[in-house]
Amino acid sequence: MELAEDNARSLNFIETIIEEDLKDKKNNRKIHFRFPPEPNGYLHIGHAKSICLNFGLAEKYNGLCNLRFDDTNPAKEDVEYVDSIKEDIQWLGFQWNDEPLYASNYFDQLYTWAVQMIKQGNAYVDEQSQEEISRQKGVPTRPGEESAYRNRPAEENLVLFEKMKNGEVPDGAMVLRAKINMSSPNMHMRDPIMYRVLHAEHHRTGNKWNIYPMYDFAHGQSDYIEGITHSLCTLEFEIHRPLYDWFLDQIAEAGRPRPRQIEFARLNLSYTVMSKRKLLEMVEQRLVSGWDDPRMPTISGLRRRGYTPEAIREFADRIGIAKRDNVIDVGLLEFSVREHLNKITPRVFGVLDPVKVIITNYPEDKEEMLELINNPEDETAGKRLVPFSHELYIERNDFMEEPPRKFFRLGPGREVRLKGAYIVMCEDYKKDDSGNITEIYCTYDPESKSGSTGSQRKVKGTLHWVSVQHAVDAEVRLYDRLFLDEDPAGHKEHDFKEFLNPDSLKILQNCKLEPSLQTVQPGDKFQFQRIGYFCVDKESRPEHLVFNRTVALRDSWKKKGRS
Ligand code: ATP
Ligand code: MG
């Protein structure tokens, strides 16, 4: 693809900044990133972009990348999320520097800095209600109003802040605010809140704290403590940057690397939602089976569906890094997945909607082991033996009673090749009372065996098949897009859930697979020839095989003109 080649040739704007910093010997040429997830949900494909960016740049420039949990909001956080985040990053093929870090490791240091700011007259305790504070902030076009508590003496602030910390103040009764500028056109500079009172148990610090720092007061300082040089974040934080720098001004010492915040456009994908709040809502309302439901845009969902880390990393590379928001067609992600699976998956025969074919001139007690190539894209993948016999399954839609001229599959009086086997001719068929085809009768041409001298004879259609007596049963789950709308969360008048695709999951219980698949393990991936890519689900057992369709061979949405 052109995009990927372009990427290989030219630097993106973040790489340009880094290379200039290296040239200028900034921070002694130290390069240090961090990926800062909030452990309040599972990671999604948007996070994957950020992971690939941060860890990828660290690899490219011989730098480091920390994993830092931004755990300043105890009410919504959970150890389950911490664990899943670690697993997902490692699965993508990245390893963080040293141990995972937590913003909560720095609560003592942050508190000390807050006290220092109070002493210097740069922070104050405000006892007004949240509503009053927002009202006074006003609108960007007009100066806000100063709080009556803004100018109280430092000693008084220190006593109150200590009380807040010691749990002597009820939730919401007081906040600590930075004293910056109530007339700033940037609303974030209008005396932002640094600490709030919250009597909540924290998953790491337990009940030690009754106050918790706000994101803006914790993030830049955490970057600074860890020696982060380039703090990459999404565009919505651009407006926070003056505050990020202002807080650093209060604490930064000469001679230590000072982090620089750089914003990039978040990944938006069509036909999905990516806010953790919305994903959580779907999990809680059981609209999906869990965070790792194969229809979810979460990394764990994509993994379960059969996506590979290589495909996701390639996708992240292809979309590149932009400074302006855009929406990426989910088809591009699927394209990357298909491209990788095409290279690595063994080809197998699986019939999803079987109908029986009886080869009338093939002896009932005979069976032949036919040799088939595992992967034409990969010579090292070798060959396997597939049994052929008197009764076979083919795909129901590969037969028509009255086929049109261009239907190059099976119909009365028509010939097709059974892949890797023989050419067969349809002589007759049987129907049940409701008109469903129950059996198709064919004769085979013994001279037409694939690979033999007689195999030169050409017919237009080639079908996949599975021998009836050797077939393995399986459940196959077919997934389609979770939403029918390109931008389900983008409609003011409608809840995103109104656009859920009612047909996003179809379960087929009666699929017939070639016998080599009896021994598959969860996570194994295959191409079912002529159908698509499939992955063994975590619920699969030898006595009840379960496959997920990862992606169809072709983009059916394009064909239907839906995208
Ligand atoms: P959400 O809004 O879904 O809750 P978040 O941005 O609050 O997501 P965090 O856990 O704070 O989630 O995100 C961790 C990192 O991943 C942040 O640096 C954030 O900028 C980045 N990130 C989150 N979503 C995307 C996205 N769609 N594209 C790129 N980066 C993202
Ligand atoms: Mg966030």
Side-chain angles (χ1 to χ4, degrees), residues 42 271-273 275-298 300-302 304-305 477 479-483 496-497 499-505 507 538-539:
Y42 280 60
Y271 294 99
T272 192
V273 296
S275 120
K276 278 187 274 185
R277 192 181 53 72
K278 294 194 175 70
L279 297 177
L280 177 64
E281 199 175 320
M282 289 195 288
V283 172
E284 282 179 339
Q285 296 187 15
R286 303 191 168 272
L287 299 170
V288 291
S289 67
W291 284 100
D292 71 345
D293 185 300
R295 293 165 294 179
M296 290 279 269
T298 51
S300 50
L302 299 176
R304 184 169 169 194
R305 175 128 171 200
R477 299 174 183 170
Y479 300 100
D480 200 349
R481 294 182 182 167
L482 193 48
F483 293 96
F496 73 99
K497 299 192 290 306
F499 300 101
L500 276 166
N501 177 3
D503 299 319
S504 60
L505 169 60
I507 300 181
K538 67 173 187 184
E539 290 171 356

Side-chain angles (χ1 to χ4, degrees), residues 36-38 40 47 70 215 234 236-237 266 276:
E38 203 179 326
N40 62 352
H47 294 113
D70 169 24
Y215 172 88
T234 39
E236 66 275 21
F237 289 100
R266 65 169 47 233
K276 278 187 274 185

Side-chain angles (χ1 to χ4, degrees), residues 34-51 54 70 85 215 219 232-237 264-269 274-279:
R34 87 287 171 263
F35 174 66
E38 203 179 326
N40 62 352
Y42 280 60
L43 297 182
H44 52 60
I45 182 75
H47 294 113
K49 169 173 172 167
S50 177
I51 292 169
N54 283 290
D70 169 24
I85 289 169
Y215 172 88
H219 201 84
L232 313 182
C233 62
T234 39
L235 284 178
E236 66 275 21
F237 289 100
F264 65 95
R266 65 169 47 233
L267 167 65
N268 299 303
L269 261 193
M274 264 197 284
S275 120
K276 278 187 274 185
R277 192 181 53 72
K278 294 194 175 70
L279 297 177

Side-chain angles (χ1 to χ4, degrees), residues 308-425:
T308 60
E310 291 88 344
I312 293 174
R313 288 172 70 155
E314 175 62 29
F315 168 72
D317 241 29
R318 278 198 173 122
I319 56 176
I321 297 299
K323 273 196 227 188
R324 239 183 307 149
D325 270 322
N326 55 0
V327 180
I328 303 288
D329 183 355
V330 68
L332 187 62
L333 175 60
E334 291 166 351
F335 175 85
S336 299
V337 171
R338 250 182 231 115
E339 189 180 54
H340 187 229
L341 293 178
N342 179 44
K343 283 189 208 134
I344 62 159
T345 53
R347 275 52 174 171
V348 292
F349 289 161
V351 175
L352 300 192
D353 183 12
V355 62
K356 210 182 253 186
V357 169
I358 297 166
I359 316 278
T360 53
N361 61 340
Y362 194 91
E364 274 180 51
D365 53 359
K366 184 174 171 182
E367 83 178 50
E368 267 178 276
M369 297 304 279
L370 304 175
E371 208 177 52
L372 279 118
I373 292 173
N374 282 332
N375 186 351
E377 304 283 322
D378 176 7
E379 276 179 23
T380 64
K383 293 177 177 172
R384 73 188 184 287
L385 295 172
V386 182
F388 184 86
S389 69
H390 177 66
E391 289 189 350
L392 310 168
Y393 291 116
I394 64 164
E395 216 66 69
R396 186 168 289 281
N397 67 9
D398 278 339
F399 175 83
M400 276 181 90
E401 279 182 272
E402 292 168 29
R405 219 162 45 84
K406 293 245 155 136
F407 184 79
F408 298 123
R409 293 177 263 172
L410 208 53
R414 300 217 182 173
E415 274 191 320
V416 291
R417 171 169 293 282
L418 296 177
K419 183 153 180 75
Y422 299 95
I423 293 173
V424 296
M425 153 85 82

